Amino acid sequence: MSQRPRAVLAFGPPSLVGQVFTPGALDRIAAVLDVDVDVVMTETGTDAARRALAGAEVLLAGWGAPRIGVDDAPLLRAVLYAGGVAATCLDDPAAHAARGVVAANARAVNALPVAEYTLATILLANKRTRAAEREYRATRRLPDREHEPATLGNYRRTVGIVGASQVGRRVIELLRPFDLDVAVYSPELDPESAAALGARYGTLEEVAAQSDVLSLHQPLLPETAGQIDARILALLPDGATLVNTARGGVVDEAALVAELRTGRIDAVLDVTEPEPPAPDSELWDLPNVVLTPHVAGSAGGELHRIGDLVAAEAERYAAGLPFAHPDDLGAHHA
């Protein structure tokens, strides 16, 4: 067997390694890379870290990893990142890319639990389960089925997706088995490309105005900050639910609170800005709001899916194969 590439593990708390990687995944990595899986670098300033980085060809990094400079690791050729953006652990990603460093990330597999959370939320929102539970507890009797609105349930309701990100696309895919109409807005889409995903294309305004549930999956960029503002929220039909698993900053919180205060719409918020909401935020107390503490992404045993992906990418690198989930470091700047 040819000599295994030297590798270094870099995470924030070393305990994260045990959360992300099963013993089997670590064994797979150690079989193809020369790495001590019991040694985790948490900072770059120590003599031990400098020695390890000086000879490292592969960086296995994750949340909280210290930023690696170009001069810190002169032999570095690959970054395997157990998270969404490999550039997070590099001080000048474009400079690393210019030296031939390639990278892979776990964004694709982290999208799955977010999409699963979103799917469950959409189905429960259309059944109005939160309101039904509150009423059931208050009245302690079954509802009057004869007077249930025709808008209750998941048959021929409209779900709006904002953002054709990996999560947004996965949500559309998961919605296919259901009798739901799916509309999507994303700036890079047109009617043909939206149809190929399994959705109808619309402008943001059109999608909002049609949606019984509006689910947000756009990145937080200057052009999307506060994108879901009072004007867009006012377009939502009465009784609609806003679901946010993207970033809190894509929503104008003051406008959302004002709309929620009327009771006209509901919201399920896994992310807010700030996070958590301010102690005096009305989001804590409004009865038509579900707040979850950023749990939609990989958690618990779901983290092992990320570790398995990193192990698979390590095997591909050692075999001289391109990454299955490449991350373009050249697209990132310090």
Side-chain angles (χ1 to χ4, degrees):
M1 180 178 178
S2 60
Q3 187 175 4
R4 293 171 298 161
R6 293 277 303 278
V8 174
L9 271 169
F11 277 75
S15 60
L16 281 174
V17 173
Q19 292 179 261
V20 172
F21 298 100
T22 63
L26 290 174
D27 287 344
R28 290 170 60 191
I29 291 170
V32 296
L33 299 178
D34 180 8
V35 58
D36 186 342
V37 297
D38 294 319
V39 176
V40 183
M41 185 177 66
T42 60
E43 57 180 332
T44 60
T46 66
D47 289 341
R50 283 190 285 267
R51 286 194 300 270
L53 286 172
E57 180 179 339
V58 180
L59 177 67
L60 300 159
W63 296 291
R67 285 180 173 265
I68 308 301
V70 175
D71 295 333
D72 293 333
L75 303 182
L76 188 66
R77 290 297 174 266
V79 178
L80 309 183
Y81 190 67
V85 182
T88 304
C89 62
L90 302 174
D91 70 345
D92 191 343
H96 283 277
R99 292 180 55 172
V101 177
V102 294
N105 66 42
R107 181 183 302 170
V109 296
N110 194 47
L112 178 56
V114 182
E116 291 171 342
Y117 173 104
T118 303
L119 170 66
T121 296
I122 289 168
L123 297 177
L124 292 173
N126 277 333
K127 292 287 283 188
R128 301 191 68 78
T129 54
R130 181 71 184 273
E133 192 229 6
R134 289 198 307 268
E135 184 176 352
Y136 198 21
R137 286 182 180 276
T139 64
R140 305 195 177 190
R141 62 173 181 266
L142 293 173
D144 181 0
R145 301 295 187 192
E146 293 184 14
H147 295 92
E148 285 179 339
T151 55
L152 180 68
N154 283 289
Y155 184 58
R156 293 184 176 176
R157 306 298 297 285
T158 298
V159 176
I161 304 294
V162 180
S165 60
Q166 292 197 49
V167 175
R169 290 167 185 258
R170 196 63 182 263
V171 172
I172 293 171
E173 180 182 340
L174 293 179
L175 289 170
R176 285 176 188 163
F178 301 95
D179 292 316
L180 291 163
D181 177 35
V182 181
V184 61
Y185 165 73
S186 197
E188 75 274 19
L189 294 181
D190 56 27
E192 291 73 25
S193 54
L197 294 176
R200 288 186 299 103
Y201 174 79
T203 65
L204 178 58
E205 292 78 8
E206 290 168 342
V207 171
Q210 298 167 11
S211 294
D212 298 296
V213 178
L214 186 68
S215 189
L216 308 182
H217 304 287
Q218 68 271 54
L220 180 58
L221 303 169
E223 57 268 32
T224 63
Q227 185 178 45
I228 308 304
D229 56 14
R231 183 178 64 88
I232 298 299
L233 293 168
L235 294 173
L236 293 172
D238 291 351
T241 300
L242 178 75
V243 179
N244 190 8
T245 59
R247 290 290 182 268
V250 302
V251 177
D252 180 335
E253 183 178 308
L256 177 61
V257 167
E259 194 70 60
L260 289 166
R261 200 182 292 134
T262 70
R264 194 183 70 81
I265 65 171
D266 295 345
V268 180
L269 308 174
D270 188 54
V271 290
T272 55
E273 181 57 44
E275 200 169 62
D280 60 349
S281 171
E282 291 182 59
L283 293 176
W284 293 111
D285 301 311
L286 286 165
N288 50 340
V289 176
V290 175
L291 276 178
T292 55
H294 208 142
V295 298
S298 297
E302 292 169 336
L303 292 169
H304 295 159
R305 186 187 284 122
I306 293 175
D308 288 342
L309 179 145
V310 172
E313 295 288 35
E315 291 167 341
R316 294 181 68 87
Y317 179 79
L321 299 173
F323 291 133
H325 302 279
D327 188 327
D328 182 7
L329 295 178
H332 304 281
H333 301 280

